[in-house]
Amino acid sequence: MRVLSVASECVPLVKTGGLADVVGALPAALAEQGVRVTTLLPGYPAVMAAMGGGRALRRVDDLFGGPARLQRGEVAGMDIIAIDAPHLFARTGNPYLSPQGGEWADNGVRFAALGAMASLVATGGIRALNFDVVHAHDWQAGLAPAYLRYAPKRVPSVFTVHNLAFQGKFPLALFPLLGLPAQALAVEGVEYFGTTGFLKAGLWYADRITTVSPTYAAEIRTPEMGMGLDGLLRGRAGAVSGILNGIDEAAWDPTKDKLLPANFSASNPKPRAINKAALQRRLGLDEDPDALLFGFVGRLTWQKGVDLILGSLGTMLGQGAQLAVLGTGEPELEAACRAAAGANPGRVGHEIGYDEALARQIYAGADVVLVPSRFEPCGLAQLCALRYGALPLVAHVGGLSDSVIDANEMALAEGQGTGLHFSPVTREMLEAAVLRMAALWRDKRVFNKLQANALRCDVSWTRSAARYAALYKDVVTHAR
């Protein structure tokens, strides 16, 4: 089976979030299921440089205001087609934001071009290239299913929502430029509360809709979590499913990771203590092996619950614990992290920004990784934590609840559990979970068992890739 994956970012070429990790990891996992994936990407400078020019497939004389070429090449073992359109994509830095920090004014046409080229490639616009399914990711590729629906050749589509909060809404004045038929500008189409809705288009026109975890697939069909799209999603409930993300276990391997002070494994976890000590030294924490070390890696935002972590700091420190924070985000939360570290020397350490080596050292050296997100489609932090033997303490939302087994009384009695859940997502409930974790920490036999469970978790793409492969086969058979 041949699948055209359409996305705005992909590891290792360009990344702003977890979308890139998924798009980059799936092709290899799907190859083991007999699925051949070609990935269509905008021709950002980093993409074109990595391809070294590639092989020219087709020229497009006018792609939303300028000429373009479709170039094909192999990067990091992936089959890539890049849209070489300098007037749209030859911009350095963030793929969505200008150097001044605002969205590029022409993002609507830039990512309409991605959807239009997906339809062209998938429906025979490139001789000798045939695809069975198009798999479009997030709002940037949301118009691909719309273009496919009105194309002369029928190719079914799957649309994956990585985060419903980002919807790609543009003025209605954009619609006449898209080249879609007039009938598409309707509630049963791309129109969305008086705007041209890219995410809405994907949800309406795709043959199947997936999200990145089963729980998130259920949550987004509720008014509380549906962000204005719950009615549409309930109406299409039979087409919606959730497939839990994984991580690339070869890229995240504590037995070989060269960014760690010491490597370790499920069968030999003792060297984790070396990583803990190194992490404490790096962040100016007291070098104390008996201190319960909490870690956080991620965006410093309200969504990620960073304010809850800082609000619960007194409870953590009251248990003799320490806190290590790595991230960047909302200025007031960055300032609050600096203030917490300044007020608690040796107990709270932080680094504002992102450092890949430090992130991995937190996963490999912290005893617990905090993920108190108010909503989380899937999340990767808890998967990395499990892989590196840190127990995730997570909010009971989205993919966090699907990927972490709560160490409750019954789970402990059966020798199960890989972390802790808390709900509702409030400071008081997070503090209660911190106290639960501190009690587990004091019982080293139990804590070590939970850590062993975490290290042995299968957080790979194997199961999920099999589900995607089955979904592709089903959509080909039953495309509406």
PDB file of all heavy atoms in Angstrom, residues 92-130:
ATOM      1  N   THR A  92      13.497  31.915   6.605  1.00  0.00           N
ATOM      2  CA  THR A  92      14.220  31.261   7.689  1.00  0.00           C
ATOM      3  C   THR A  92      13.429  31.336   8.985  1.00  0.00           C
ATOM      4  O   THR A  92      12.497  32.122   9.131  1.00  0.00           O
ATOM      5  CB  THR A  92      15.590  31.922   7.893  1.00  0.00           C
ATOM      6  OG1 THR A  92      15.394  33.320   8.157  1.00  0.00           O
ATOM      7  CG2 THR A  92      16.449  31.766   6.641  1.00  0.00           C
ATOM      8  N   GLY A  93      13.828  30.512   9.930  1.00  0.00           N
ATOM      9  CA  GLY A  93      13.211  30.539  11.257  1.00  0.00           C
ATOM     10  C   GLY A  93      11.951  29.717  11.333  1.00  0.00           C
ATOM     11  O   GLY A  93      11.765  28.738  10.603  1.00  0.00           O
ATOM     12  N   ASN A  94      11.055  30.109  12.214  1.00  0.00           N
ATOM     13  CA  ASN A  94       9.813  29.385  12.444  1.00  0.00           C
ATOM     14  C   ASN A  94       8.982  29.315  11.162  1.00  0.00           C
ATOM     15  O   ASN A  94       8.832  30.325  10.470  1.00  0.00           O
ATOM     16  CB  ASN A  94       9.028  30.085  13.551  1.00  0.00           C
ATOM     17  CG  ASN A  94       7.810  29.303  13.994  1.00  0.00           C
ATOM     18  OD1 ASN A  94       6.831  29.182  13.271  1.00  0.00           O
ATOM     19  ND2 ASN A  94       7.866  28.773  15.215  1.00  0.00           N
ATOM     20  N   PRO A  95       8.437  28.139  10.820  1.00  0.00           N
ATOM     21  CA  PRO A  95       7.692  28.022   9.554  1.00  0.00           C
ATOM     22  C   PRO A  95       6.380  28.789   9.521  1.00  0.00           C
ATOM     23  O   PRO A  95       5.824  28.999   8.440  1.00  0.00           O
ATOM     24  CB  PRO A  95       7.446  26.514   9.430  1.00  0.00           C
ATOM     25  CG  PRO A  95       7.578  25.975  10.806  1.00  0.00           C
ATOM     26  CD  PRO A  95       8.583  26.841  11.494  1.00  0.00           C
ATOM     27  N   TYR A  96       5.878  29.198  10.685  1.00  0.00           N
ATOM     28  CA  TYR A  96       4.576  29.856  10.726  1.00  0.00           C
ATOM     29  C   TYR A  96       4.642  31.325  11.128  1.00  0.00           C
ATOM     30  O   TYR A  96       3.703  32.068  10.888  1.00  0.00           O
ATOM     31  CB  TYR A  96       3.650  29.140  11.726  1.00  0.00           C
ATOM     32  CG  TYR A  96       3.722  27.641  11.651  1.00  0.00           C
ATOM     33  CD1 TYR A  96       4.084  26.875  12.756  1.00  0.00           C
ATOM     34  CD2 TYR A  96       3.437  26.971  10.468  1.00  0.00           C
ATOM     35  CE1 TYR A  96       4.166  25.502  12.683  1.00  0.00           C
ATOM     36  CE2 TYR A  96       3.513  25.592  10.383  1.00  0.00           C
ATOM     37  CZ  TYR A  96       3.885  24.859  11.495  1.00  0.00           C
ATOM     38  OH  TYR A  96       3.970  23.497  11.417  1.00  0.00           O
ATOM     39  N   LEU A  97       5.754  31.728  11.749  1.00  0.00           N
ATOM     40  CA  LEU A  97       5.828  33.058  12.348  1.00  0.00           C
ATOM     41  C   LEU A  97       6.932  33.894  11.711  1.00  0.00           C
ATOM     42  O   LEU A  97       8.010  33.379  11.387  1.00  0.00           O
ATOM     43  CB  LEU A  97       6.094  32.955  13.859  1.00  0.00           C
ATOM     44  CG  LEU A  97       5.113  32.115  14.678  1.00  0.00           C
ATOM     45  CD1 LEU A  97       5.566  32.068  16.133  1.00  0.00           C
ATOM     46  CD2 LEU A  97       3.698  32.658  14.573  1.00  0.00           C
ATOM     47  N   SER A  98       6.679  35.178  11.575  1.00  0.00           N
ATOM     48  CA  SER A  98       7.681  36.111  11.067  1.00  0.00           C
ATOM     49  C   SER A  98       8.704  36.405  12.168  1.00  0.00           C
ATOM     50  O   SER A  98       8.467  36.092  13.341  1.00  0.00           O
ATOM     51  CB  SER A  98       7.000  37.414  10.640  1.00  0.00           C
ATOM     52  OG  SER A  98       6.585  38.146  11.784  1.00  0.00           O
ATOM     53  N   PRO A  99       9.837  37.007  11.815  1.00  0.00           N
ATOM     54  CA  PRO A  99      10.828  37.346  12.846  1.00  0.00           C
ATOM     55  C   PRO A  99      10.267  38.257  13.933  1.00  0.00           C
ATOM     56  O   PRO A  99      10.785  38.284  15.048  1.00  0.00           O
ATOM     57  CB  PRO A  99      11.931  38.047  12.045  1.00  0.00           C
ATOM     58  CG  PRO A  99      11.809  37.493  10.664  1.00  0.00           C
ATOM     59  CD  PRO A  99      10.336  37.276  10.453  1.00  0.00           C
ATOM     60  N   GLN A 100       9.190  39.003  13.629  1.00  0.00           N
ATOM     61  CA  GLN A 100       8.579  39.875  14.624  1.00  0.00           C
ATOM     62  C   GLN A 100       7.660  39.114  15.580  1.00  0.00           C
ATOM     63  O   GLN A 100       7.156  39.685  16.553  1.00  0.00           O
ATOM     64  CB  GLN A 100       7.782  40.982  13.927  1.00  0.00           C
ATOM     65  CG  GLN A 100       8.653  42.011  13.198  1.00  0.00           C
ATOM     66  CD  GLN A 100       9.313  41.460  11.952  1.00  0.00           C
ATOM     67  OE1 GLN A 100       8.670  40.725  11.189  1.00  0.00           O
ATOM     68  NE2 GLN A 100      10.576  41.797  11.735  1.00  0.00           N
ATOM     69  N   GLY A 101       7.413  37.829  15.297  1.00  0.00           N
ATOM     70  CA  GLY A 101       6.637  36.995  16.201  1.00  0.00           C
ATOM     71  C   GLY A 101       5.205  36.766  15.799  1.00  0.00           C
ATOM     72  O   GLY A 101       4.535  35.891  16.355  1.00  0.00           O
ATOM     73  N   GLY A 102       4.679  37.539  14.854  1.00  0.00           N
ATOM     74  CA  GLY A 102       3.308  37.329  14.398  1.00  0.00           C
ATOM     75  C   GLY A 102       3.249  36.320  13.267  1.00  0.00           C
ATOM     76  O   GLY A 102       4.270  35.976  12.655  1.00  0.00           O
ATOM     77  N   GLU A 103       2.052  35.819  12.987  1.00  0.00           N
ATOM     78  CA  GLU A 103       1.897  34.869  11.888  1.00  0.00           C
ATOM     79  C   GLU A 103       2.182  35.562  10.559  1.00  0.00           C
ATOM     80  O   GLU A 103       1.869  36.734  10.362  1.00  0.00           O
ATOM     81  CB  GLU A 103       0.481  34.292  11.889  1.00  0.00           C
ATOM     82  CG  GLU A 103       0.167  33.445  13.114  1.00  0.00           C
ATOM     83  CD  GLU A 103      -1.206  32.797  13.030  1.00  0.00           C
ATOM     84  OE1 GLU A 103      -1.924  33.049  12.039  1.00  0.00           O
ATOM     85  OE2 GLU A 103      -1.551  32.054  13.954  1.00  0.00           O
ATOM     86  N   TRP A 104       2.771  34.813   9.621  1.00  0.00           N
ATOM     87  CA  TRP A 104       2.958  35.349   8.286  1.00  0.00           C
ATOM     88  C   TRP A 104       1.589  35.716   7.714  1.00  0.00           C
ATOM     89  O   TRP A 104       0.636  34.951   7.812  1.00  0.00           O
ATOM     90  CB  TRP A 104       3.628  34.318   7.376  1.00  0.00           C
ATOM     91  CG  TRP A 104       5.055  34.004   7.704  1.00  0.00           C
ATOM     92  CD1 TRP A 104       5.544  32.862   8.253  1.00  0.00           C
ATOM     93  CD2 TRP A 104       6.199  34.847   7.480  1.00  0.00           C
ATOM     94  NE1 TRP A 104       6.902  32.925   8.401  1.00  0.00           N
ATOM     95  CE2 TRP A 104       7.329  34.141   7.936  1.00  0.00           C
ATOM     96  CE3 TRP A 104       6.361  36.126   6.949  1.00  0.00           C
ATOM     97  CZ2 TRP A 104       8.614  34.663   7.862  1.00  0.00           C
ATOM     98  CZ3 TRP A 104       7.647  36.646   6.870  1.00  0.00           C
ATOM     99  CH2 TRP A 104       8.762  35.933   7.323  1.00  0.00           C
ATOM    100  N   ALA A 105       1.495  36.892   7.105  1.00  0.00           N
ATOM    101  CA  ALA A 105       0.214  37.379   6.600  1.00  0.00           C
ATOM    102  C   ALA A 105      -0.360  36.486   5.520  1.00  0.00           C
ATOM    103  O   ALA A 105      -1.579  36.452   5.317  1.00  0.00           O
ATOM    104  CB  ALA A 105       0.379  38.806   6.066  1.00  0.00           C
ATOM    105  N   ASP A 106       0.489  35.755   4.814  1.00  0.00           N
ATOM    106  CA  ASP A 106       0.020  34.898   3.716  1.00  0.00           C
ATOM    107  C   ASP A 106      -0.022  33.418   4.094  1.00  0.00           C
ATOM    108  O   ASP A 106       0.017  32.551   3.226  1.00  0.00           O
ATOM    109  CB  ASP A 106       0.883  35.088   2.467  1.00  0.00           C
ATOM    110  CG  ASP A 106       2.360  34.748   2.710  1.00  0.00           C
ATOM    111  OD1 ASP A 106       2.762  34.607   3.888  1.00  0.00           O
ATOM    112  OD2 ASP A 106       3.114  34.639   1.719  1.00  0.00           O
ATOM    113  N   ASN A 107      -0.112  33.109   5.397  1.00  0.00           N
ATOM    114  CA  ASN A 107      -0.177  31.698   5.798  1.00  0.00           C
ATOM    115  C   ASN A 107      -1.338  30.963   5.134  1.00  0.00           C
ATOM    116  O   ASN A 107      -1.249  29.757   4.877  1.00  0.00           O
ATOM    117  CB  ASN A 107      -0.285  31.576   7.321  1.00  0.00           C
ATOM    118  CG  ASN A 107       1.077  31.537   8.006  1.00  0.00           C
ATOM    119  OD1 ASN A 107       2.112  31.464   7.343  1.00  0.00           O
ATOM    120  ND2 ASN A 107       1.076  31.607   9.321  1.00  0.00           N
ATOM    121  N   GLY A 108      -2.432  31.657   4.876  1.00  0.00           N
ATOM    122  CA  GLY A 108      -3.561  31.003   4.228  1.00  0.00           C
ATOM    123  C   GLY A 108      -3.194  30.433   2.872  1.00  0.00           C
ATOM    124  O   GLY A 108      -3.459  29.256   2.588  1.00  0.00           O
ATOM    125  N   VAL A 109      -2.550  31.231   2.030  1.00  0.00           N
ATOM    126  CA  VAL A 109      -2.186  30.712   0.704  1.00  0.00           C
ATOM    127  C   VAL A 109      -0.995  29.765   0.798  1.00  0.00           C
ATOM    128  O   VAL A 109      -0.886  28.813   0.013  1.00  0.00           O
ATOM    129  CB  VAL A 109      -1.911  31.855  -0.295  1.00  0.00           C
ATOM    130  CG1 VAL A 109      -3.170  32.647  -0.567  1.00  0.00           C
ATOM    131  CG2 VAL A 109      -0.795  32.764   0.174  1.00  0.00           C
ATOM    132  N   ARG A 110      -0.102  29.991   1.736  1.00  0.00           N
ATOM    133  CA  ARG A 110       1.051  29.090   1.877  1.00  0.00           C
ATOM    134  C   ARG A 110       0.593  27.660   2.137  1.00  0.00           C
ATOM    135  O   ARG A 110       1.086  26.706   1.506  1.00  0.00           O
ATOM    136  CB  ARG A 110       1.960  29.558   3.026  1.00  0.00           C
ATOM    137  CG  ARG A 110       2.605  30.915   2.800  1.00  0.00           C
ATOM    138  CD  ARG A 110       3.376  31.369   4.021  1.00  0.00           C
ATOM    139  NE  ARG A 110       4.630  30.638   4.170  1.00  0.00           N
ATOM    140  CZ  ARG A 110       5.109  30.187   5.320  1.00  0.00           C
ATOM    141  NH1 ARG A 110       4.402  30.351   6.444  1.00  0.00           N
ATOM    142  NH2 ARG A 110       6.248  29.544   5.361  1.00  0.00           N
ATOM    143  N   PHE A 111      -0.361  27.498   3.041  1.00  0.00           N
ATOM    144  CA  PHE A 111      -0.760  26.131   3.382  1.00  0.00           C
ATOM    145  C   PHE A 111      -1.928  25.634   2.536  1.00  0.00           C
ATOM    146  O   PHE A 111      -2.156  24.423   2.462  1.00  0.00           O
ATOM    147  CB  PHE A 111      -0.994  26.029   4.883  1.00  0.00           C
ATOM    148  CG  PHE A 111       0.296  26.247   5.638  1.00  0.00           C
ATOM    149  CD1 PHE A 111       0.531  27.414   6.337  1.00  0.00           C
ATOM    150  CD2 PHE A 111       1.305  25.304   5.567  1.00  0.00           C
ATOM    151  CE1 PHE A 111       1.742  27.640   6.982  1.00  0.00           C
ATOM    152  CE2 PHE A 111       2.521  25.507   6.199  1.00  0.00           C
ATOM    153  CZ  PHE A 111       2.745  26.677   6.912  1.00  0.00           C
ATOM    154  N   ALA A 112      -2.609  26.552   1.850  1.00  0.00           N
ATOM    155  CA  ALA A 112      -3.509  26.105   0.789  1.00  0.00           C
ATOM    156  C   ALA A 112      -2.687  25.431  -0.313  1.00  0.00           C
ATOM    157  O   ALA A 112      -3.106  24.422  -0.903  1.00  0.00           O
ATOM    158  CB  ALA A 112      -4.298  27.277   0.226  1.00  0.00           C
ATOM    159  N   ALA A 113      -1.500  25.977  -0.577  1.00  0.00           N
ATOM    160  CA  ALA A 113      -0.617  25.380  -1.580  1.00  0.00           C
ATOM    161  C   ALA A 113      -0.228  23.956  -1.190  1.00  0.00           C
ATOM    162  O   ALA A 113      -0.138  23.059  -2.040  1.00  0.00           O
ATOM    163  CB  ALA A 113       0.625  26.246  -1.750  1.00  0.00           C
ATOM    164  N   LEU A 114      -0.006  23.735   0.107  1.00  0.00           N
ATOM    165  CA  LEU A 114       0.325  22.381   0.561  1.00  0.00           C
ATOM    166  C   LEU A 114      -0.820  21.424   0.269  1.00  0.00           C
ATOM    167  O   LEU A 114      -0.612  20.315  -0.248  1.00  0.00           O
ATOM    168  CB  LEU A 114       0.630  22.413   2.063  1.00  0.00           C
ATOM    169  CG  LEU A 114       0.965  21.082   2.739  1.00  0.00           C
ATOM    170  CD1 LEU A 114       2.216  20.455   2.141  1.00  0.00           C
ATOM    171  CD2 LEU A 114       1.127  21.273   4.247  1.00  0.00           C
ATOM    172  N   GLY A 115      -2.053  21.832   0.562  1.00  0.00           N
ATOM    173  CA  GLY A 115      -3.205  20.982   0.281  1.00  0.00           C
ATOM    174  C   GLY A 115      -3.419  20.759  -1.196  1.00  0.00           C
ATOM    175  O   GLY A 115      -3.726  19.638  -1.642  1.00  0.00           O
ATOM    176  N   ALA A 116      -3.262  21.819  -2.000  1.00  0.00           N
ATOM    177  CA  ALA A 116      -3.467  21.695  -3.444  1.00  0.00           C
ATOM    178  C   ALA A 116      -2.436  20.767  -4.070  1.00  0.00           C
ATOM    179  O   ALA A 116      -2.763  19.936  -4.931  1.00  0.00           O
ATOM    180  CB  ALA A 116      -3.400  23.077  -4.086  1.00  0.00           C
ATOM    181  N   MET A 117      -1.180  20.875  -3.646  1.00  0.00           N
ATOM    182  CA  MET A 117      -0.143  20.002  -4.203  1.00  0.00           C
ATOM    183  C   MET A 117      -0.327  18.557  -3.746  1.00  0.00           C
ATOM    184  O   MET A 117      -0.001  17.620  -4.480  1.00  0.00           O
ATOM    185  CB  MET A 117       1.242  20.511  -3.810  1.00  0.00           C
ATOM    186  CG  MET A 117       1.651  21.798  -4.515  1.00  0.00           C
ATOM    187  SD  MET A 117       1.716  21.664  -6.331  1.00  0.00           S
ATOM    188  CE  MET A 117       0.081  22.253  -6.780  1.00  0.00           C
ATOM    189  N   ALA A 118      -0.861  18.369  -2.550  1.00  0.00           N
ATOM    190  CA  ALA A 118      -1.161  17.005  -2.110  1.00  0.00           C
ATOM    191  C   ALA A 118      -2.164  16.352  -3.053  1.00  0.00           C
ATOM    192  O   ALA A 118      -2.005  15.186  -3.452  1.00  0.00           O
ATOM    193  CB  ALA A 118      -1.712  17.030  -0.687  1.00  0.00           C
ATOM    194  N   SER A 119      -3.197  17.085  -3.431  1.00  0.00           N
ATOM    195  CA  SER A 119      -4.199  16.548  -4.346  1.00  0.00           C
ATOM    196  C   SER A 119      -3.598  16.280  -5.719  1.00  0.00           C
ATOM    197  O   SER A 119      -3.853  15.234  -6.340  1.00  0.00           O
ATOM    198  CB  SER A 119      -5.371  17.522  -4.459  1.00  0.00           C
ATOM    199  OG  SER A 119      -6.342  17.042  -5.359  1.00  0.00           O
ATOM    200  N   LEU A 120      -2.773  17.214  -6.193  1.00  0.00           N
ATOM    201  CA  LEU A 120      -2.133  17.031  -7.503  1.00  0.00           C
ATOM    202  C   LEU A 120      -1.275  15.774  -7.530  1.00  0.00           C
ATOM    203  O   LEU A 120      -1.364  14.944  -8.443  1.00  0.00           O
ATOM    204  CB  LEU A 120      -1.286  18.261  -7.823  1.00  0.00           C
ATOM    205  CG  LEU A 120      -0.473  18.193  -9.121  1.00  0.00           C
ATOM    206  CD1 LEU A 120      -1.390  18.317 -10.327  1.00  0.00           C
ATOM    207  CD2 LEU A 120       0.599  19.288  -9.150  1.00  0.00           C
ATOM    208  N   VAL A 121      -0.438  15.612  -6.511  1.00  0.00           N
ATOM    209  CA  VAL A 121       0.472  14.464  -6.461  1.00  0.00           C
ATOM    210  C   VAL A 121      -0.305  13.154  -6.324  1.00  0.00           C
ATOM    211  O   VAL A 121      -0.005  12.162  -6.983  1.00  0.00           O
ATOM    212  CB  VAL A 121       1.474  14.621  -5.302  1.00  0.00           C
ATOM    213  CG1 VAL A 121       2.281  13.341  -5.098  1.00  0.00           C
ATOM    214  CG2 VAL A 121       2.399  15.806  -5.560  1.00  0.00           C
ATOM    215  N   ALA A 122      -1.326  13.158  -5.468  1.00  0.00           N
ATOM    216  CA  ALA A 122      -2.039  11.917  -5.154  1.00  0.00           C
ATOM    217  C   ALA A 122      -2.933  11.442  -6.298  1.00  0.00           C
ATOM    218  O   ALA A 122      -3.197  10.244  -6.414  1.00  0.00           O
ATOM    219  CB  ALA A 122      -2.884  12.107  -3.897  1.00  0.00           C
ATOM    220  N   THR A 123      -3.398  12.374  -7.113  1.00  0.00           N
ATOM    221  CA  THR A 123      -4.391  12.002  -8.132  1.00  0.00           C
ATOM    222  C   THR A 123      -3.804  11.889  -9.533  1.00  0.00           C
ATOM    223  O   THR A 123      -4.518  11.996 -10.525  1.00  0.00           O
ATOM    224  CB  THR A 123      -5.554  13.007  -8.147  1.00  0.00           C
ATOM    225  OG1 THR A 123      -5.046  14.334  -8.397  1.00  0.00           O
ATOM    226  CG2 THR A 123      -6.297  12.991  -6.819  1.00  0.00           C
ATOM    227  N   GLY A 124      -2.505  11.654  -9.626  1.00  0.00           N
ATOM    228  CA  GLY A 124      -1.901  11.371 -10.925  1.00  0.00           C
ATOM    229  C   GLY A 124      -1.143  12.508 -11.547  1.00  0.00           C
ATOM    230  O   GLY A 124      -0.757  12.420 -12.721  1.00  0.00           O
ATOM    231  N   GLY A 125      -0.893  13.580 -10.784  1.00  0.00           N
ATOM    232  CA  GLY A 125      -0.160  14.702 -11.350  1.00  0.00           C
ATOM    233  C   GLY A 125       1.309  14.416 -11.583  1.00  0.00           C
ATOM    234  O   GLY A 125       1.987  15.162 -12.290  1.00  0.00           O
ATOM    235  N   ILE A 126       1.808  13.347 -11.007  1.00  0.00           N
ATOM    236  CA  ILE A 126       3.182  12.908 -11.223  1.00  0.00           C
ATOM    237  C   ILE A 126       3.138  11.531 -11.864  1.00  0.00           C
ATOM    238  O   ILE A 126       2.676  10.565 -11.251  1.00  0.00           O
ATOM    239  CB  ILE A 126       3.988  12.846  -9.906  1.00  0.00           C
ATOM    240  CG1 ILE A 126       3.890  14.166  -9.146  1.00  0.00           C
ATOM    241  CG2 ILE A 126       5.431  12.468 -10.198  1.00  0.00           C
ATOM    242  CD1 ILE A 126       4.492  15.342  -9.839  1.00  0.00           C
ATOM    243  N   ARG A 127       3.584  11.442 -13.081  1.00  0.00           N
ATOM    244  CA  ARG A 127       3.539  10.162 -13.779  1.00  0.00           C
ATOM    245  C   ARG A 127       4.338   9.099 -13.022  1.00  0.00           C
ATOM    246  O   ARG A 127       5.387   9.385 -12.468  1.00  0.00           O
ATOM    247  CB  ARG A 127       4.117  10.322 -15.186  1.00  0.00           C
ATOM    248  CG  ARG A 127       3.722   9.192 -16.127  1.00  0.00           C
ATOM    249  CD  ARG A 127       4.335   9.346 -17.495  1.00  0.00           C
ATOM    250  NE  ARG A 127       4.409  10.748 -17.929  1.00  0.00           N
ATOM    251  CZ  ARG A 127       4.910  11.108 -19.102  1.00  0.00           C
ATOM    252  NH1 ARG A 127       5.384  10.196 -19.928  1.00  0.00           N
ATOM    253  NH2 ARG A 127       4.960  12.378 -19.433  1.00  0.00           N
ATOM    254  N   ALA A 128       3.817   7.919 -12.963  1.00  0.00           N
ATOM    255  CA  ALA A 128       4.441   6.753 -12.313  1.00  0.00           C
ATOM    256  C   ALA A 128       4.352   6.791 -10.794  1.00  0.00           C
ATOM    257  O   ALA A 128       4.888   5.924 -10.119  1.00  0.00           O
ATOM    258  CB  ALA A 128       5.902   6.587 -12.736  1.00  0.00           C
ATOM    259  N   LEU A 129       3.684   7.803 -10.234  1.00  0.00           N
ATOM    260  CA  LEU A 129       3.453   7.831  -8.792  1.00  0.00           C
ATOM    261  C   LEU A 129       1.965   7.636  -8.536  1.00  0.00           C
ATOM    262  O   LEU A 129       1.138   8.451  -8.957  1.00  0.00           O
ATOM    263  CB  LEU A 129       3.898   9.155  -8.184  1.00  0.00           C
ATOM    264  CG  LEU A 129       5.364   9.299  -7.772  1.00  0.00           C
ATOM    265  CD1 LEU A 129       5.577  10.641  -7.094  1.00  0.00           C
ATOM    266  CD2 LEU A 129       5.802   8.184  -6.858  1.00  0.00           C
ATOM    267  N   ASN A 130       1.635   6.578  -7.838  1.00  0.00           N
ATOM    268  CA  ASN A 130       0.242   6.291  -7.510  1.00  0.00           C
ATOM    269  C   ASN A 130       0.126   6.075  -6.006  1.00  0.00           C
ATOM    270  O   ASN A 130       0.962   5.402  -5.402  1.00  0.00           O
ATOM    271  CB  ASN A 130      -0.246   5.042  -8.244  1.00  0.00           C
ATOM    272  CG  ASN A 130      -0.257   5.231  -9.749  1.00  0.00           C
ATOM    273  OD1 ASN A 130      -1.041   6.015 -10.252  1.00  0.00           O
ATOM    274  ND2 ASN A 130       0.629   4.527 -10.453  1.00  0.00           N
TER     275      ASN A 130
END
